[in-house]
Amino acid sequence: MKMPINNSLRKKKGQQKSMVVLFSTLTWCLTLAWKTSKLFTLVQIGIQILIPALAILVSFLGKYLLNLLAGSWVVEYPKNTIFALFVGMFSIALLRVVFEKLTQYSQSIHSEMIRNKITLSMMEQSLSSDLDYFDNPSYYDKRLSALRDSSAITSISWSAMTSISAIVSFIGVLAVLAQVNILYGMVMLIAAIPASIASAKYTKALYNLSLEQINSERQLSYIQSVAIDRRYAQDLRFYGAAEGLMNRYTRLWKQLYAKKQGLKRKWAVIIVLSNCLPELVVVFIGFDIASHVLDKTPTVVNFALYTSLIG
């Protein structure tokens, strides 16, 4: 009986450690982005909060417009109200376009600044390293891994900022749906968990595989550099080694490709199935709201609002 308990405890400790590593990585990336440029970081976080809020606001403006056109909302000057609603929706649409372009611009500039900061840090580490490290092949593997991680850091930073937008949008939709039925929000929250877990585990598996293949990929780069370098061109032709070099490169590439393809194929099925679950929940909630509309509980306009929010 002790073995299953011990295995369960180890599994829980491993999961807790993974969560700690995940949050520490996100914190470190966001801290680096903040230290690199406080202005661009604040701009992007602010935009990620405003975009989902504006989307929810547009849905409510559309609801009021439909209520006005259907006659369920009576105002003193209907034409002026319709004009004001259209102006509001048009202004929000313009703001969203401006925010999206501003995000692209700030990310491109901010990415260059972050990459420069990381490159300077790596150069400083290399210049201060002991010369014996340069005779160790594992040093070059770690350096290649660091170069890859440097490009991934910016992606992690933008993903963390984009998650702010998703969280704001999710909370806003849950708040609206909870007024109709609290179970809608709970079901949507539960349905979103498997997709998030599958995506995180796939990213981790892909990263671990890239670490395992670093040495082999460095060999590929070395073979390629030998094949295209003028210094080795004469020797390759003289000794007839060109075909053997090509065969070695192809064989090694196929081995790496087979492992990557197998991993991606396996996780593609899992991710697709987990992402289908929230869509099924959306269909269920839409059907349930439509059934209540037939019973005259909410109006057709409210049905359009709720389905636009969850869709």
Side-chain angles (χ1 to χ4, degrees):
M1 294 294 294
K2 292 183 178 180
M3 288 297 294
I5 295 175
N6 291 334
N7 291 335
S8 177
L9 288 174
R10 288 196 204 96
K11 188 175 181 181
K12 288 182 179 179
K13 288 181 179 179
Q15 292 175 346
Q16 292 175 356
K17 186 177 180 181
S18 299
M19 292 298 295
V20 170
V21 171
L22 174 63
F23 283 112
S24 63
T25 301
L26 291 174
T27 303
W28 188 87
C29 292
L30 289 175
T31 302
L32 177 63
W34 174 260
K35 290 180 178 179
T36 304
S37 175
K38 296 180 177 61
L39 174 62
F40 283 128
T41 304
L42 288 174
V43 167
Q44 292 185 69
I45 291 176
I47 290 175
Q48 295 302 329
I49 294 174
L50 287 173
I51 287 179
L54 291 175
I56 295 174
L57 181 58
V58 166
S59 297
F60 274 98
L61 290 178
K63 172 194 172 183
Y64 288 123
L65 179 61
L66 290 175
N67 278 330
L68 186 60
L69 295 175
S72 56
W73 182 33
V74 180
V75 294
E76 187 175 358
Y77 301 104
K79 289 186 178 181
N80 293 341
T81 304
I82 290 176
F83 179 75
L85 289 173
F86 270 106
V87 169
M89 295 171 70
F90 177 71
S91 301
I92 291 174
L94 286 180
L95 281 176
R96 292 177 68 179
V97 172
V98 171
F99 286 158
E100 289 175 1
K101 297 302 179 182
L102 186 58
T103 300
Q104 294 175 4
Y105 168 76
S106 61
Q107 282 189 2
S108 62
I109 302 299
H110 204 176
S111 296
E112 291 293 332
M113 296 173 66
I114 292 175
R115 280 194 289 266
N116 180 62
K117 191 175 185 65
I118 295 171
T119 300
L120 290 174
S121 177
M122 292 178 62
M123 289 173 61
E124 183 180 356
Q125 290 291 330
S126 296
L127 291 172
S128 61
S129 297
D130 194 285
L131 294 177
D132 292 337
Y133 283 111
F134 292 90
D135 297 327
N136 190 349
S138 63
Y139 171 77
Y140 293 96
D141 292 341
K142 291 178 180 179
R143 192 171 68 176
L144 179 60
S145 175
L147 287 171
R148 285 186 174 180
D149 290 347
S150 65
S151 61
I153 287 172
T154 54
S155 299
I156 294 173
S157 301
W158 308 151
S159 297
M161 292 181 189
T162 305
S163 66
I164 296 174
S165 177
I167 291 171
V168 172
S169 178
F170 193 71
I171 292 174
V173 172
L174 287 182
V176 175
L177 292 178
Q179 298 176 2
V180 185
N181 191 335
I182 190 64
L183 291 177
Y184 291 162
M186 294 176 61
V187 172
M188 285 189 64
L189 180 62
I190 294 172
I193 292 175
S196 301
I197 294 175
S199 179
K201 286 186 174 293
Y202 169 66
T203 303
K204 182 179 180 181
L206 201 60
Y207 178 73
N208 290 335
L209 180 63
S210 68
L211 290 180
E212 293 175 7
Q213 295 183 340
I214 277 180
N215 186 267
S216 298
E217 290 187 358
R218 195 161 59 82
Q219 292 181 42
L220 285 177
S221 299
Y222 176 73
I223 294 172
Q224 183 183 14
S225 65
V226 169
I228 64 177
D229 198 321
R230 185 179 182 278
R231 293 175 296 175
Y232 305 106
Q234 185 176 353
D235 290 338
L236 289 173
R237 287 165 174 77
F238 181 78
Y239 293 105
E243 185 177 354
L245 196 68
M246 292 289 294
N247 291 337
R248 184 177 180 183
Y249 180 92
T250 303
R251 183 170 60 254
L252 186 58
W253 180 86
K254 285 182 178 179
Q255 291 174 0
L256 299 179
Y257 174 76
K259 290 183 179 180
K260 288 180 181 178
Q261 186 184 36
L263 179 68
K264 291 181 178 180
R265 185 188 299 115
K266 170 189 172 183
W267 280 99
V269 176
I270 297 174
I271 290 175
V272 167
L273 292 176
S274 61
N275 279 299
C276 286
L277 186 59
E279 299 300 325
L280 292 175
V281 170
V282 168
V283 173
F284 166 75
I285 293 176
F287 176 78
D288 193 54
I289 294 174
S291 300
H292 288 300
V293 169
L294 293 177
D295 297 333
K296 306 299 182 182
T297 305
T299 63
V300 176
V301 175
N302 286 331
F303 172 77
L305 170 64
Y306 301 143
T307 52
S308 67
L309 288 174
I310 63 178

